[in-house]
Amino acid sequence: TRYASSGTFCMRLSNDKARVTTKTRGVISPLGEIIAHDVSFDPIVHVFDKAIDTGVQRFIRIECPGIVEEEIEWQELPNGVKVTINKKPPIEEHAVQPVEPIRQHHGMWEREFFFDQTEGRFELCEDEAMLENGVLTMVLK
């Protein structure tokens, strides 16, 4: 196969310290195949309601193994919450010699959980938020 150049791509960043990277990297399997690996951090999220005596509680559970509390931020919204998690790579790949391919997920993840008023009025209960065994649980009442 022969490829012909059809132009160039130039990206100017507003911040001199900014860096552009791809979210997909390749690792080589034992059979010599290149396997694409998405390194972006995209946790599994569960949102559900639980009935209590005084009404309904809405739970947001985010599976985020390897996260520490300092990497989590949240901001209350009018009828919900915005969650930001900045997961750092647990292994500095340039500082180690891998025995097997290193496949780790990292980066910034952000999501707004905004609920329609017809579902009810929900306010974040910050004192009930907890990070336990790699799962962030947030309660809205």
Side-chain angles (χ1 to χ4, degrees), residues 38-101:
D38 185 352
V39 298
S40 59
F41 174 59
D42 189 20
I44 295 172
V45 176
H46 306 281
V47 180
F48 57 92
D49 291 338
K50 192 176 205 180
I52 58 171
D53 293 337
T54 58
V56 173
Q57 287 182 326
R58 179 149 294 173
F59 287 80
I60 301 171
R61 297 192 69 184
I62 304 169
E63 296 181 19
C64 47
I67 294 293
V68 293
E69 288 184 20
E70 292 77 27
E71 297 173 324
I72 302 170
E73 292 180 14
W74 63 72
Q75 174 185 355
E76 193 164 359
L77 298 176
N79 201 33
V81 64
K82 175 181 175 181
V83 180
T84 305
I85 301 174
N86 187 11
K87 184 175 184 181
K88 295 175 177 49
I91 301 169
E92 293 183 40
E93 293 183 42
H94 64 278
V96 299
Q97 180 64 42
V99 175
E100 293 185 8

Side-chain angles (χ1 to χ4, degrees), residues 1 3 6 8 25 28 34 43 46 49 58 68 72 78 87 89 103 106 121 123 128 133 139:
T1 304
Y3 297 97
S6 61
T8 60
R25 304 228 175 112
I28 299 175
I34 297 177
H46 306 281
D49 291 338
R58 179 149 294 173
V68 293
I72 302 170
K87 184 175 184 181
R103 298 174 67 178
H106 54 87
R121 175 83 177 116
E123 291 183 11
E128 294 188 40
N133 296 325
V139 181

Side-chain angles (χ1 to χ4, degrees), residues 4-22:
S5 175
S6 61
T8 60
F9 177 76
C10 179
M11 183 182 297
R12 297 181 199 278
L13 303 174
S14 60
N15 184 342
D16 293 338
K17 295 180 181 179
R19 196 174 121 212
V20 177
T21 62
T22 60

